[in-house]
Amino acid sequence: MEDKIDIHNVSLRYQVALRNFEMDNQVNGRNRDLIIKFLWDCKIGKTVKGRAKKKISEPRLLKYLYLLKKLSYWLGQPFDEVKQKDMEKLVTNIE
């Protein structure tokens, strides 16, 4: 199978964004670790769709990184400590 041409330099943009994210001190340390682990799992195919494992592409990983980073700022606490009440408050603030 032929490799796709990356005319938007998504691969480079993802690597730069990930490197910058790893050094971002504004993100909660625990969230940083959780997000990096999640992105790695997606990249190697530890995600499951139906019964098949599915690798996530770099454009999608870049989007996940952007959204999870923003969510981390909004919540202001580790993802694994977020309660239902915190999520409801976030949703009402977004609406």
Side-chain angles (χ1 to χ4, degrees):
M1 190 166 119
E2 192 175 312
D3 289 332
K4 293 182 180 180
I5 298 173
D6 187 8
I7 63 172
H8 298 289
N9 292 320
V10 174
S11 183
L12 177 64
R13 288 175 33 217
Y14 173 68
Q15 295 305 320
V16 169
L18 186 59
R19 191 174 334 115
N20 290 338
F21 176 71
E22 289 171 346
M23 295 183 289
D24 188 352
N25 292 329
Q26 294 179 337
V27 177
N28 179 295
R30 177 69 180 140
N31 284 350
R32 184 181 311 112
D33 295 341
L34 289 170
I35 292 169
I36 291 170
K37 182 179 181 333
F38 172 75
L39 293 172
W40 177 252
D41 288 348
C42 290
K43 188 170 187 169
I44 64 171
K46 282 191 173 180
T47 58
V48 177
K49 183 176 183 180
R51 291 185 170 255
K53 291 186 176 185
K54 179 174 173 29
K55 291 183 181 179
I56 306 297
S57 66
E58 285 188 336
R60 179 65 56 183
L61 292 174
L62 185 60
K63 183 174 183 174
Y64 285 167
L65 176 57
Y66 171 75
L67 293 172
L68 290 169
K69 181 178 175 181
K70 186 171 284 230
L71 186 61
S72 177
Y73 289 142
W74 287 344
L75 287 171
Q77 60 183 322
F79 291 147
D80 51 2
E81 294 177 9
V82 174
K83 306 285 188 240
Q84 179 74 26
K85 180 180 160 187
D86 300 322
M87 287 304 294
E88 290 170 357
K89 183 178 176 184
L90 175 67
V91 169
T92 56
N93 287 340
I94 291 174
E95 293 176 343

